[in-house]
Amino acid sequence: MAKIAEINHCDPSLGEMHYFFDSSFPVGYFSHSFGFETFVANSTGKTLESYAVWITNYLIYSLWYGELVVLTEAQRLYESKGSKSIGEIEKNDSHLHASRPTHEARTASLLICKAILTAAKNYFGETAAKLDSFAINEPATLVGLIASRRTWNFYSTRLLYLQSQALALTQVLVRYARIGQTDQLKLMSKLSPIITKLASVYPDQKPNTITALCLGIEVSQMQHQSLSPRLFQS
């Protein structure tokens, strides 16, 4: 009986969060490299450490300073103000979308955002369907809104968002046959402590927080538009 009682007290959101952030959830992340493909395609002789550095910079400058700020604010604002927060949330979303350096990056955000909403509607039903009233262009904003409506834990949402993005990038290396599954595990092991720290720490709020840049990532994304042949859309 003790075991049954313990099972009954499990967090019911863990299962849905696990699936929502799993690579099998049909949201399209694995069709995009966000510029990492350029680095990988020209990476002959590069080490696992060099790949870890690129992904770490992406986690910090594209996600922690940008997407994670917008995700967290969307979750907090909607949880505290509900529909009254629409204007603030859409403003943050537009700033993040405008900060994308290339047409490909903006298109990727729109496609993934649309895929997330479609998948979430089918998975969560009416909970996600009500989000149609928001003018959202960024996946991070949408995830924050879904997290709020599903009452997901803030830290867990941030952690799983970062982890799913990192995993998608390591898959670029696997598909290019630069690394195998063993090295992919080693790479994720290197990234895991970084992900844990970034998920638990909120960046200092400055005017340019959402638009912080890393030149290496920006160059990779711009060069990707002319990369040929390529396996990923962005």
Side-chain angles (χ1 to χ4, degrees), residues 76-163:
R76 285 178 176 170
L77 285 168
Y78 197 74
E79 189 170 284
S80 61
K81 298 182 180 181
S83 59
K84 295 180 180 179
S85 64
I86 292 179
E88 293 176 74
I89 291 172
E90 290 179 344
K91 181 179 179 180
N92 288 337
D93 180 85
S94 65
H95 286 169
L96 176 60
H97 195 64
S99 73
R100 301 290 183 187
T102 65
H103 173 73
E104 271 193 2
R106 291 187 290 274
T107 300
S109 294
L110 292 172
L111 290 173
I112 293 171
C113 198
K114 182 178 180 180
I116 289 175
L117 183 58
T118 300
K121 284 180 180 179
N122 286 293
Y123 188 36
F124 299 123
E126 188 63 23
T127 300
K130 292 182 179 179
L131 298 177
D132 276 328
S133 60
F134 285 79
I136 299 300
N137 297 315
E138 289 291 328
T141 313
L142 186 56
V143 171
L145 289 171
I146 292 170
S148 178
R149 294 191 64 83
R150 302 301 300 178
T151 64
W152 290 348
N153 177 270
F154 276 96
Y155 170 73
S156 297
T157 302
R158 289 164 60 88
L159 177 70
L160 292 174
Y161 187 82
L162 288 171
Q163 183 172 275

Side-chain angles (χ1 to χ4, degrees), residues 13-77:
S13 67
L14 288 177
E16 66 182 36
M17 289 182 74
H18 175 76
Y19 179 48
F20 182 86
F21 289 104
D22 188 86
S23 60
S24 65
F25 198 68
V27 297
Y29 279 113
F30 279 75
S31 297
H32 300 272
S33 78
F34 307 100
F36 188 44
E37 183 179 12
T38 309
F39 186 79
V40 173
N42 301 315
S43 66
T44 303
K46 284 189 169 68
T47 64
L48 206 63
E49 183 62 31
S50 65
Y51 298 134
V53 169
W54 197 100
I55 295 175
T56 297
N57 283 333
Y58 182 81
L59 290 172
I60 294 172
Y61 290 97
S62 288
L63 300 186
W64 188 61
Y65 273 123
E67 294 185 35
L68 222 59
V69 171
V70 172
L71 186 158
T72 302
E73 287 304 304
Q75 189 173 2
R76 285 178 176 170
L77 285 168

